[in-house]
Amino acid sequence: MSHRPSDDLLMAYAAGTLAPGPALVVAAHLTMCPESAERVRAFEIFGGIALEDASESALSPDALDKTLARIDSGPPAKAVERGKWLAELPEGMRLPQPLEHYDIGKWKFLAPGVRWSSIGRGGSARNRPMLLRSKPGMVLPEHSHAGTEYTLILKGSLHDADGDYHVGDLIVADASLEHEPAAGPDEECICLAVVDGRLRMKSLVGRLVQPLMGF
């Protein structure tokens, strides 16, 4: 694995300041990369130490009683149900554990040889994670980014002008990058991706399907 998140991104994840979509992609990466997972654990420890060293604030004498009363009066916690997976996956392939409780839609056409599937429901489609599935050697529509694109390789490989990416690699593409990723020639490529901002499609096909995808 040669492409891991930056420490800044991992610290933001550990601090809980990432938006839900990027946080889900990073969480899935952590299940595939022990080194990144260890970095997050270290940042969480450092954060705990910082809290211990922070100055104390006085609480009202009945603060604990009020907190416990709110907990007791709230509705019982619901068991988290497994999501509905409608997108068929290659035999033997399992998605990372953080995706288990999300609804995953059926595969939809994006470009010749390339399909996509939505993850989750509600909220803005523009910031919603998705799965991308490309046949061997197929090229995704050329695009740049108005924000940041996070892409995790789940199966196969992906290639662009900046390098080669394999299972577990996490690619972070900002507004300065314009690329035309291609799946590896030997097997199909499946990625988990989220775009924090709008894509800028360069090809006619990309511009035609973009309104249907919502980003």
Side-chain angles (χ1 to χ4, degrees), residues 71 74-82 101 121:
I71 294 174
K78 294 182 179 180
V80 180
E81 297 181 358
R82 184 183 179 87
H101 303 297
R121 293 181 295 177

Side-chain angles (χ1 to χ4, degrees), residues 108-129:
K108 302 175 184 177
F109 174 86
L110 174 59
V114 183
R115 291 179 289 169
W116 74 287
S117 171
S118 61
I119 295 177
R121 293 181 295 177
S124 170
R126 189 175 301 175
N127 301 110
R128 192 181 304 155

Side-chain angles (χ1 to χ4, degrees), residues 1-202:
M1 195 174 299
S2 57
H3 297 272
R4 298 181 178 87
S6 66
D7 279 352
D8 286 344
L9 183 58
L10 293 178
M11 282 190 285
Y13 175 83
T17 58
L18 279 182
L24 179 62
V25 178
V26 173
H29 166 77
L30 297 181
T31 68
M32 306 170 73
C33 180
E35 182 174 328
S36 292
E38 184 61 32
R39 296 290 289 172
V40 168
R41 282 192 289 270
F43 293 139
E44 290 172 340
I45 291 171
F46 294 150
I49 293 173
L51 286 176
E52 290 180 356
D53 293 339
S55 58
E56 296 182 358
S57 299
L59 298 175
S60 62
D62 60 347
L64 178 59
D65 291 337
K66 287 182 176 179
T67 301
L68 293 175
R70 288 183 180 180
I71 294 174
D72 292 338
S73 63
K78 294 182 179 180
V80 180
E81 297 181 358
R82 184 183 179 87
K84 298 177 181 178
W85 291 10
L86 302 180
E88 295 183 0
L89 298 173
E91 185 177 355
M93 180 182 175
R94 296 288 299 173
L95 295 176
Q97 183 274 333
L99 299 179
E100 286 185 355
H101 303 297
Y102 287 84
D103 289 340
I104 297 177
K106 295 181 179 180
W107 294 112
K108 302 175 184 177
F109 174 86
L110 174 59
V114 183
R115 291 179 289 169
W116 74 287
S117 171
S118 61
I119 295 177
R121 293 181 295 177
S124 170
R126 189 175 301 175
N127 301 110
R128 192 181 304 155
M130 73 187 93
L131 294 176
L132 292 172
R133 185 174 188 175
S134 304
K135 291 183 178 180
M138 299 305 301
V139 178
L140 279 70
E142 183 181 8
H143 61 275
S144 59
H145 317 84
T148 305
E149 177 187 88
Y150 304 82
T151 305
L152 174 66
I153 311 301
L154 302 178
K155 183 181 188 300
S157 60
L158 199 65
H159 312 270
D160 64 16
D162 288 343
D164 302 328
Y165 312 98
H166 302 276
V167 173
D169 283 342
L170 176 56
I171 312 160
V172 180
D174 61 20
S176 66
L177 179 65
E178 180 177 314
H179 63 160
E180 193 175 23
D186 299 323
E187 63 175 321
E188 67 177 349
C189 178
I190 298 179
C191 303
L192 169 65
V194 66
V195 181
D196 185 13
R198 193 168 180 81
L199 289 181
R200 293 170 175 157
M201 295 293 188
K202 302 298 180 179

